[in-house]
Amino acid sequence: MTYIMIALGWILDLFYRLIGNYGFAIIAFTVFVKLALFPLDLKQRRSMAKTQKIQPLLMEVQKKYANDKDKLNQETMKLYQKYGISPTSGCLPMLLQFPIIIALYWVVRKPIFYMMGVDDSEIWRIAEAFNAWAAANPDLLPAALKDAVPVTYLKEMRNNTFGMHEIQIAQLIYKHPEILEYSAIASWDKVIRPVNFGFFGMDLSEIPNLNAFFGMFLGRFSALTRETVTLWIIPILSGLSSFISSRIVSPTPKKTKAEKKAILSEEEKKAQEKTASATNSTMSSMTMIMPIFSAWFAFTLPAAVGLYWIVSNIIQIVQHIFVTKYFTQDVSLEELEGDIKNVKSRKKRKKSR
């Protein structure tokens, strides 16, 4: 994971140096990550589309081998191989997203290390210079740092108050470059490049104030400032984009031509309706739960992570529309109906014996 974080930090810093704006650097970084994962995402969407198309055939196989699990697994795998479907392709892109999000979280939380290039062995210089400046300028400290000064830097995270507030300290270094003139840094031969976390009036180093958001509905307005309210845009858009993405990427399943043409018994119709009902219920739950979680996470993490999530959702929507229109391979209806008839005829032959 450390190597992933170092690599992502280098890429994010590269975009920041090229663009000169942290917010747009996050956007460019997100586009880069999504494009890098696009081949896997394309494979996943093709596989999902074909799996949906052959559902009638899978149901026939499940009915035939309901009492023989080993045979059912063998026949199912044969169908997957015949139609070029990878059962695990749907999980891989999502599994790759988790370490990237976790790594990005630490890259965002520790910009002095991952973007400004200050090694762990030299972080003490930044901490000492900041403590000296903070002692001389207590009125310039944001509320989140007032109780943390003087900051400590120890390997144990519980005693590492500098690490807990590193991104806020990095933003103060940008706002107050005189911090770099204190002796601990001035006596060092390294050039420190401050990072500006501003983006359209928002400070992406800050965590949106969830307490102030809920307090507004209870009539408590004392904590409301322009910066506080502006920062709520990130979690709100995060939840909204997640909801739209869920609705578009996972719509209510529609019957295929083969399903519409199939002649089903009353028992089969009831089983199919029950399966469809359970599937729709699960999708509806996910469509509502995921946006809530998305907004909640964006309220508890630095706004830069929420911005990444918003852009990621938008790109996912665009990719889905593009892939569905140009790259989704169709399954031959004639071939599918032929396989369904073969399974049914084998069933009849078995009964007649």
mmCIF file of all heavy atoms in Angstrom, residues 21-23 27 171 175 196-208 226-237 303-304 306-307 310:
data_model
loop_
_atom_site.group_PDB
_atom_site.id
_atom_site.type_symbol
_atom_site.label_atom_id
_atom_site.label_comp_id
_atom_site.label_asym_id
_atom_site.label_seq_id
_atom_site.Cartn_x
_atom_site.Cartn_y
_atom_site.Cartn_z
ATOM 1 N N ASN A 21 -3.574 24.351 -9.832
ATOM 2 C CA ASN A 21 -4.776 24.446 -9.008
ATOM 3 C C ASN A 21 -5.066 23.072 -8.426
ATOM 4 O O ASN A 21 -5.185 22.087 -9.165
ATOM 5 C CB ASN A 21 -5.959 24.942 -9.841
ATOM 6 C CG ASN A 21 -7.236 25.096 -9.024
ATOM 7 O OD1 ASN A 21 -7.898 24.122 -8.709
ATOM 8 N ND2 ASN A 21 -7.571 26.330 -8.682
ATOM 9 N N TYR A 22 -5.192 23.000 -7.098
ATOM 10 C CA TYR A 22 -5.346 21.703 -6.430
ATOM 11 C C TYR A 22 -6.650 21.003 -6.820
ATOM 12 O O TYR A 22 -6.677 19.795 -7.033
ATOM 13 C CB TYR A 22 -5.301 21.909 -4.917
ATOM 14 C CG TYR A 22 -5.277 20.620 -4.117
ATOM 15 C CD1 TYR A 22 -4.112 19.866 -4.018
ATOM 16 C CD2 TYR A 22 -6.414 20.168 -3.471
ATOM 17 C CE1 TYR A 22 -4.080 18.690 -3.279
ATOM 18 C CE2 TYR A 22 -6.399 18.997 -2.726
ATOM 19 C CZ TYR A 22 -5.234 18.264 -2.642
ATOM 20 O OH TYR A 22 -5.214 17.095 -1.918
ATOM 21 N N GLY A 23 -7.741 21.764 -6.914
ATOM 22 C CA GLY A 23 -9.028 21.171 -7.275
ATOM 23 C C GLY A 23 -9.001 20.570 -8.662
ATOM 24 O O GLY A 23 -9.446 19.435 -8.878
ATOM 25 N N ILE A 27 -9.287 16.651 -10.142
ATOM 26 C CA ILE A 27 -10.136 16.250 -11.268
ATOM 27 C C ILE A 27 -9.318 15.519 -12.320
ATOM 28 O O ILE A 27 -9.714 14.440 -12.810
ATOM 29 C CB ILE A 27 -10.840 17.480 -11.881
ATOM 30 C CG1 ILE A 27 -11.845 18.064 -10.876
ATOM 31 C CG2 ILE A 27 -11.547 17.111 -13.182
ATOM 32 C CD1 ILE A 27 -12.443 19.377 -11.297
ATOM 33 N N GLN A 171 -2.023 23.917 4.606
ATOM 34 C CA GLN A 171 -2.771 25.070 4.099
ATOM 35 C C GLN A 171 -2.322 26.360 4.788
ATOM 36 O O GLN A 171 -2.209 27.413 4.138
ATOM 37 C CB GLN A 171 -4.274 24.844 4.300
ATOM 38 C CG GLN A 171 -5.154 26.009 3.869
ATOM 39 C CD GLN A 171 -5.184 26.219 2.366
ATOM 40 O OE1 GLN A 171 -4.193 25.989 1.664
ATOM 41 N NE2 GLN A 171 -6.324 26.664 1.853
ATOM 42 N N LYS A 175 -0.916 29.930 3.321
ATOM 43 C CA LYS A 175 -1.495 31.231 3.664
ATOM 44 C C LYS A 175 -0.499 32.134 4.391
ATOM 45 O O LYS A 175 -0.563 33.367 4.288
ATOM 46 C CB LYS A 175 -2.734 31.036 4.544
ATOM 47 C CG LYS A 175 -3.923 30.430 3.813
ATOM 48 C CD LYS A 175 -5.114 30.278 4.763
ATOM 49 C CE LYS A 175 -6.334 29.745 4.033
ATOM 50 N NZ LYS A 175 -7.499 29.575 4.953
ATOM 51 N N ASN A 196 -1.655 25.159 -2.368
ATOM 52 C CA ASN A 196 -2.889 25.921 -2.143
ATOM 53 C C ASN A 196 -4.085 24.996 -2.365
ATOM 54 O O ASN A 196 -4.282 24.478 -3.463
ATOM 55 C CB ASN A 196 -2.962 27.103 -3.108
ATOM 56 C CG ASN A 196 -4.251 27.897 -2.948
ATOM 57 O OD1 ASN A 196 -4.945 27.765 -1.944
ATOM 58 N ND2 ASN A 196 -4.564 28.716 -3.930
ATOM 59 N N PHE A 197 -4.891 24.795 -1.328
ATOM 60 C CA PHE A 197 -6.029 23.885 -1.406
ATOM 61 C C PHE A 197 -7.329 24.592 -1.774
ATOM 62 O O PHE A 197 -8.395 24.003 -1.703
ATOM 63 C CB PHE A 197 -6.200 23.145 -0.071
ATOM 64 C CG PHE A 197 -5.033 22.270 0.288
ATOM 65 C CD1 PHE A 197 -3.979 22.780 1.056
ATOM 66 C CD2 PHE A 197 -4.954 20.969 -0.150
ATOM 67 C CE1 PHE A 197 -2.887 21.991 1.385
ATOM 68 C CE2 PHE A 197 -3.871 20.161 0.171
ATOM 69 C CZ PHE A 197 -2.833 20.673 0.941
ATOM 70 N N GLY A 198 -7.250 25.859 -2.167
ATOM 71 C CA GLY A 198 -8.437 26.605 -2.540
ATOM 72 C C GLY A 198 -8.995 26.154 -3.884
ATOM 73 O O GLY A 198 -8.253 25.834 -4.807
ATOM 74 N N PHE A 199 -10.328 26.154 -3.980
ATOM 75 C CA PHE A 199 -10.983 25.731 -5.214
ATOM 76 C C PHE A 199 -12.373 26.358 -5.257
ATOM 77 O O PHE A 199 -13.272 25.925 -4.543
ATOM 78 C CB PHE A 199 -11.079 24.205 -5.269
ATOM 79 C CG PHE A 199 -11.675 23.658 -6.547
ATOM 80 C CD1 PHE A 199 -11.058 23.871 -7.770
ATOM 81 C CD2 PHE A 199 -12.856 22.925 -6.518
ATOM 82 C CE1 PHE A 199 -11.600 23.360 -8.943
ATOM 83 C CE2 PHE A 199 -13.412 22.416 -7.690
ATOM 84 C CZ PHE A 199 -12.776 22.629 -8.901
ATOM 85 N N PHE A 200 -12.547 27.388 -6.087
ATOM 86 C CA PHE A 200 -13.830 28.086 -6.219
ATOM 87 C C PHE A 200 -14.412 28.498 -4.860
ATOM 88 O O PHE A 200 -15.597 28.281 -4.579
ATOM 89 C CB PHE A 200 -14.840 27.225 -6.979
ATOM 90 C CG PHE A 200 -14.520 27.079 -8.433
ATOM 91 C CD1 PHE A 200 -14.135 25.851 -8.958
ATOM 92 C CD2 PHE A 200 -14.604 28.164 -9.293
ATOM 93 C CE1 PHE A 200 -13.832 25.709 -10.310
ATOM 94 C CE2 PHE A 200 -14.309 28.033 -10.642
ATOM 95 C CZ PHE A 200 -13.920 26.810 -11.158
ATOM 96 N N GLY A 201 -13.578 29.087 -4.032
ATOM 97 C CA GLY A 201 -14.048 29.574 -2.735
ATOM 98 C C GLY A 201 -14.113 28.520 -1.656
ATOM 99 O O GLY A 201 -14.467 28.828 -0.511
ATOM 100 N N MET A 202 -13.790 27.277 -1.975
ATOM 101 C CA MET A 202 -13.786 26.193 -0.995
ATOM 102 C C MET A 202 -12.356 25.828 -0.616
ATOM 103 O O MET A 202 -11.465 25.881 -1.454
ATOM 104 C CB MET A 202 -14.490 24.948 -1.555
ATOM 105 C CG MET A 202 -15.962 25.133 -1.831
ATOM 106 S SD MET A 202 -16.728 23.641 -2.541
ATOM 107 C CE MET A 202 -16.070 23.701 -4.216
ATOM 108 N N ASP A 203 -12.157 25.467 0.630
ATOM 109 C CA ASP A 203 -10.864 24.980 1.098
ATOM 110 C C ASP A 203 -10.930 23.458 1.137
ATOM 111 O O ASP A 203 -11.547 22.880 2.036
ATOM 112 C CB ASP A 203 -10.557 25.537 2.489
ATOM 113 C CG ASP A 203 -9.166 25.145 2.976
ATOM 114 O OD1 ASP A 203 -8.513 24.311 2.315
ATOM 115 O OD2 ASP A 203 -8.741 25.671 4.028
ATOM 116 N N LEU A 204 -10.311 22.812 0.162
ATOM 117 C CA LEU A 204 -10.413 21.361 0.039
ATOM 118 C C LEU A 204 -9.626 20.615 1.109
ATOM 119 O O LEU A 204 -9.712 19.385 1.191
ATOM 120 C CB LEU A 204 -9.936 20.920 -1.352
ATOM 121 C CG LEU A 204 -10.762 21.435 -2.539
ATOM 122 C CD1 LEU A 204 -10.188 20.910 -3.855
ATOM 123 C CD2 LEU A 204 -12.227 21.021 -2.404
ATOM 124 N N SER A 205 -8.889 21.341 1.935
ATOM 125 C CA SER A 205 -8.195 20.685 3.046
ATOM 126 C C SER A 205 -9.118 20.511 4.251
ATOM 127 O O SER A 205 -8.822 19.738 5.161
ATOM 128 C CB SER A 205 -6.970 21.510 3.466
ATOM 129 O OG SER A 205 -7.369 22.727 4.094
ATOM 130 N N GLU A 206 -10.240 21.221 4.251
ATOM 131 C CA GLU A 206 -11.157 21.174 5.390
ATOM 132 C C GLU A 206 -12.157 20.028 5.263
ATOM 133 O O GLU A 206 -12.462 19.551 4.171
ATOM 134 C CB GLU A 206 -11.920 22.495 5.507
ATOM 135 C CG GLU A 206 -11.048 23.688 5.860
ATOM 136 C CD GLU A 206 -10.445 23.585 7.252
ATOM 137 O OE1 GLU A 206 -11.078 22.934 8.123
ATOM 138 O OE2 GLU A 206 -9.349 24.126 7.465
ATOM 139 N N ILE A 207 -12.690 19.611 6.419
ATOM 140 C CA ILE A 207 -13.749 18.601 6.478
ATOM 141 C C ILE A 207 -15.083 19.336 6.615
ATOM 142 O O ILE A 207 -15.235 20.166 7.517
ATOM 143 C CB ILE A 207 -13.547 17.646 7.665
ATOM 144 C CG1 ILE A 207 -12.238 16.878 7.513
ATOM 145 C CG2 ILE A 207 -14.713 16.670 7.783
ATOM 146 C CD1 ILE A 207 -11.871 16.019 8.708
ATOM 147 N N PRO A 208 -16.054 19.086 5.735
ATOM 148 C CA PRO A 208 -17.356 19.761 5.852
ATOM 149 C C PRO A 208 -17.954 19.561 7.250
ATOM 150 O O PRO A 208 -17.895 18.471 7.807
ATOM 151 C CB PRO A 208 -18.201 19.073 4.776
ATOM 152 C CG PRO A 208 -17.201 18.613 3.755
ATOM 153 C CD PRO A 208 -15.991 18.208 4.547
ATOM 154 N N ARG A 226 -19.858 31.646 5.569
ATOM 155 C CA ARG A 226 -19.873 31.450 4.119
ATOM 156 C C ARG A 226 -19.028 30.241 3.736
ATOM 157 O O ARG A 226 -19.408 29.439 2.875
ATOM 158 C CB ARG A 226 -19.349 32.698 3.414
ATOM 159 C CG ARG A 226 -19.410 32.626 1.883
ATOM 160 C CD ARG A 226 -18.846 33.877 1.255
ATOM 161 N NE ARG A 226 -17.428 34.019 1.527
ATOM 162 C CZ ARG A 226 -16.461 33.406 0.833
ATOM 163 N NH1 ARG A 226 -16.773 32.595 -0.175
ATOM 164 N NH2 ARG A 226 -15.194 33.592 1.136
ATOM 165 N N GLU A 227 -17.861 30.088 4.380
ATOM 166 C CA GLU A 227 -16.981 28.958 4.077
ATOM 167 C C GLU A 227 -17.634 27.624 4.454
ATOM 168 O O GLU A 227 -17.525 26.635 3.721
ATOM 169 C CB GLU A 227 -15.647 29.108 4.819
ATOM 170 C CG GLU A 227 -14.765 30.239 4.335
ATOM 171 C CD GLU A 227 -15.226 31.602 4.830
ATOM 172 O OE1 GLU A 227 -16.105 31.647 5.723
ATOM 173 O OE2 GLU A 227 -14.731 32.619 4.307
ATOM 174 N N THR A 228 -18.329 27.614 5.602
ATOM 175 C CA THR A 228 -18.990 26.385 6.060
ATOM 176 C C THR A 228 -20.074 25.951 5.091
ATOM 177 O O THR A 228 -20.146 24.779 4.688
ATOM 178 C CB THR A 228 -19.611 26.594 7.456
ATOM 179 O OG1 THR A 228 -18.575 26.928 8.381
ATOM 180 C CG2 THR A 228 -20.312 25.334 7.936
ATOM 181 N N VAL A 229 -20.930 26.888 4.704
ATOM 182 C CA VAL A 229 -22.037 26.578 3.812
ATOM 183 C C VAL A 229 -21.531 26.190 2.427
ATOM 184 O O VAL A 229 -22.038 25.240 1.806
ATOM 185 C CB VAL A 229 -23.008 27.789 3.715
ATOM 186 C CG1 VAL A 229 -24.095 27.509 2.683
ATOM 187 C CG2 VAL A 229 -23.629 28.068 5.077
ATOM 188 N N THR A 230 -20.518 26.905 1.932
ATOM 189 C CA THR A 230 -19.964 26.604 0.606
ATOM 190 C C THR A 230 -19.418 25.190 0.548
ATOM 191 O O THR A 230 -19.574 24.480 -0.449
ATOM 192 C CB THR A 230 -18.853 27.603 0.245
ATOM 193 O OG1 THR A 230 -19.359 28.933 0.298
ATOM 194 C CG2 THR A 230 -18.314 27.334 -1.164
ATOM 195 N N LEU A 231 -18.788 24.760 1.646
ATOM 196 C CA LEU A 231 -18.165 23.432 1.667
ATOM 197 C C LEU A 231 -19.194 22.309 1.656
ATOM 198 O O LEU A 231 -18.877 21.170 1.319
ATOM 199 C CB LEU A 231 -17.258 23.309 2.893
ATOM 200 C CG LEU A 231 -16.028 22.394 2.744
ATOM 201 C CD1 LEU A 231 -15.154 22.856 1.600
ATOM 202 C CD2 LEU A 231 -15.226 22.376 4.035
ATOM 203 N N TRP A 232 -20.448 22.620 2.029
ATOM 204 C CA TRP A 232 -21.505 21.591 1.988
ATOM 205 C C TRP A 232 -21.801 21.153 0.550
ATOM 206 O O TRP A 232 -22.407 20.099 0.342
ATOM 207 C CB TRP A 232 -22.787 22.134 2.609
ATOM 208 C CG TRP A 232 -22.718 22.308 4.088
ATOM 209 C CD1 TRP A 232 -21.780 21.782 4.941
ATOM 210 C CD2 TRP A 232 -23.602 23.071 4.911
ATOM 211 N NE1 TRP A 232 -22.029 22.164 6.225
ATOM 212 C CE2 TRP A 232 -23.141 22.953 6.250
ATOM 213 C CE3 TRP A 232 -24.735 23.832 4.662
ATOM 214 C CZ2 TRP A 232 -23.785 23.577 7.310
ATOM 215 C CZ3 TRP A 232 -25.379 24.451 5.719
ATOM 216 C CH2 TRP A 232 -24.901 24.324 7.030
ATOM 217 N N ILE A 233 -21.389 21.950 -0.413
ATOM 218 C CA ILE A 233 -21.611 21.584 -1.824
ATOM 219 C C ILE A 233 -20.999 20.226 -2.130
ATOM 220 O O ILE A 233 -21.573 19.420 -2.877
ATOM 221 C CB ILE A 233 -21.023 22.658 -2.759
ATOM 222 C CG1 ILE A 233 -21.784 23.978 -2.595
ATOM 223 C CG2 ILE A 233 -21.050 22.204 -4.220
ATOM 224 C CD1 ILE A 233 -21.168 25.139 -3.355
ATOM 225 N N ILE A 234 -19.835 19.931 -1.531
ATOM 226 C CA ILE A 234 -19.116 18.684 -1.823
ATOM 227 C C ILE A 234 -19.925 17.453 -1.399
ATOM 228 O O ILE A 234 -20.215 16.582 -2.239
ATOM 229 C CB ILE A 234 -17.726 18.688 -1.161
ATOM 230 C CG1 ILE A 234 -16.847 19.789 -1.756
ATOM 231 C CG2 ILE A 234 -17.046 17.322 -1.321
ATOM 232 C CD1 ILE A 234 -16.444 19.589 -3.192
ATOM 233 N N PRO A 235 -20.328 17.302 -0.137
ATOM 234 C CA PRO A 235 -21.103 16.100 0.230
ATOM 235 C C PRO A 235 -22.474 16.032 -0.441
ATOM 236 O O PRO A 235 -22.955 14.937 -0.749
ATOM 237 C CB PRO A 235 -21.235 16.191 1.752
ATOM 238 C CG PRO A 235 -20.944 17.606 2.089
ATOM 239 C CD PRO A 235 -20.003 18.112 1.059
ATOM 240 N N ILE A 236 -23.105 17.186 -0.672
ATOM 241 C CA ILE A 236 -24.409 17.176 -1.338
ATOM 242 C C ILE A 236 -24.271 16.665 -2.765
ATOM 243 O O ILE A 236 -25.033 15.794 -3.213
ATOM 244 C CB ILE A 236 -25.040 18.588 -1.316
ATOM 245 C CG1 ILE A 236 -25.453 18.966 0.112
ATOM 246 C CG2 ILE A 236 -26.257 18.647 -2.240
ATOM 247 C CD1 ILE A 236 -25.890 20.402 0.277
ATOM 248 N N LEU A 237 -23.280 17.179 -3.500
ATOM 249 C CA LEU A 237 -23.050 16.708 -4.867
ATOM 250 C C LEU A 237 -22.560 15.263 -4.887
ATOM 251 O O LEU A 237 -22.841 14.517 -5.824
ATOM 252 C CB LEU A 237 -22.035 17.613 -5.582
ATOM 253 C CG LEU A 237 -22.524 19.005 -5.983
ATOM 254 C CD1 LEU A 237 -21.409 19.770 -6.700
ATOM 255 C CD2 LEU A 237 -23.755 18.913 -6.879
ATOM 256 N N ALA A 303 -12.481 17.602 2.043
ATOM 257 C CA ALA A 303 -13.314 17.846 0.865
ATOM 258 C C ALA A 303 -12.658 17.354 -0.424
ATOM 259 O O ALA A 303 -13.352 17.044 -1.387
ATOM 260 C CB ALA A 303 -13.633 19.334 0.756
ATOM 261 N N ALA A 304 -11.329 17.266 -0.449
ATOM 262 C CA ALA A 304 -10.634 16.792 -1.654
ATOM 263 C C ALA A 304 -11.041 15.361 -1.999
ATOM 264 O O ALA A 304 -11.172 15.014 -3.175
ATOM 265 C CB ALA A 304 -9.120 16.866 -1.455
ATOM 266 N N GLY A 306 -13.972 14.003 -1.238
ATOM 267 C CA GLY A 306 -15.336 14.116 -1.748
ATOM 268 C C GLY A 306 -15.360 14.571 -3.194
ATOM 269 O O GLY A 306 -16.176 14.091 -3.995
ATOM 270 N N LEU A 307 -14.471 15.498 -3.558
ATOM 271 C CA LEU A 307 -14.382 15.962 -4.952
ATOM 272 C C LEU A 307 -13.983 14.811 -5.871
ATOM 273 O O LEU A 307 -14.543 14.661 -6.963
ATOM 274 C CB LEU A 307 -13.367 17.099 -5.064
ATOM 275 C CG LEU A 307 -13.143 17.660 -6.470
ATOM 276 C CD1 LEU A 307 -14.426 18.234 -7.050
ATOM 277 C CD2 LEU A 307 -12.032 18.723 -6.458
ATOM 278 N N ILE A 310 -17.079 12.689 -6.447
ATOM 279 C CA ILE A 310 -18.040 13.324 -7.360
ATOM 280 C C ILE A 310 -17.605 13.127 -8.808
ATOM 281 O O ILE A 310 -18.389 12.675 -9.654
ATOM 282 C CB ILE A 310 -18.162 14.834 -7.062
ATOM 283 C CG1 ILE A 310 -18.806 15.052 -5.693
ATOM 284 C CG2 ILE A 310 -18.987 15.536 -8.141
ATOM 285 C CD1 ILE A 310 -18.696 16.485 -5.197
#
